[in-house]
Amino acid sequence: MSVKIRLQRHGKKGKPFYWIVAADARAKRDGKYLEKIGTYNPNVNPAEINLDVDGAVKWLQNGAQPTDTAKAILSYKGAMLKNHLVGGVRKGALTEEQAEAKFTAWVEEKAAKISAKEEGLSAVEADAKAKALAAEKAVNEARIEAAKPAVEEVAEEASEEVEAAAETIDEAAEKAAE
């Protein structure tokens, strides 16, 4: 029985969400699986990936073959590197401590890159919001300036009507007084 590490699609139409699973190669894409290793959500930027690296390395050591997309995800999260380092330990090229130190350094470097990307995205988003707000303010000010003459005319007409109404009230009061 050959085992594949692959993606199992979940989520609704147009909003995919994937489980990363170890499954029999003969099983259906969304069918029976041996173990759920993690999740992958491509709907957010940057994509959200939760992966049990040790579980993935265990399956890779036992001969599981990742699909192309799963291999890219495993590589992105460091499972392929850890598998490589475990192979080096098994051959005697590295000690456990050296391998763990290399993996930890790589994970920290990767986390720094991801946080820099998130900060860059939030800065771009904030800049876009500020530009949109400035454009909206400019449009509103232009509308107010364009409406000022009309508002003044309406105000003059209203004041004339108020004066006329006051005069009619005064006249009615005088007639009533007579």
Side-chain angles (χ1 to χ4, degrees), residues 53-54 57 78 81-89 93-109:
V53 175
D54 294 327
V57 169
L81 174 66
K82 191 162 188 173
N83 183 40
H84 177 73
L85 293 172
V86 168
V89 169
L94 299 168
T95 64
E96 290 264 349
E97 293 79 26
Q98 291 172 331
E100 192 62 35
K102 283 186 177 185
F103 182 71
T104 305
W106 183 88
V107 167
E108 290 172 0
E109 181 182 331

Side-chain angles (χ1 to χ4, degrees), residues 81 119 154 178:
L81 174 66
E119 289 172 4
V154 170
E178 294 176 357

Side-chain angles (χ1 to χ4, degrees), residues 115-130:
S115 65
K117 181 179 180 182
E118 288 174 348
E119 289 172 4
L121 289 172
S122 63
V124 168
E125 186 177 311
D127 187 38
K129 282 185 179 180

Side-chain angles (χ1 to χ4, degrees), residues 2 6 8 22-34:
S2 66
R6 63 183 181 202
Q8 196 176 66
D24 184 354
R26 298 169 293 183
K28 296 178 183 177
R29 177 192 74 174
D30 298 336
K32 190 175 178 182
Y33 61 91
L34 300 171

Side-chain angles (χ1 to χ4, degrees), residues 1 32 50 66-67 69 75 79 85 103 109 112-113 127 131:
M1 172 175 89
K32 190 175 178 182
N50 298 317
T67 61
T69 307
S75 179
L85 293 172
F103 182 71
E109 181 182 331
K113 286 181 183 177
D127 187 38
K131 285 182 181 177

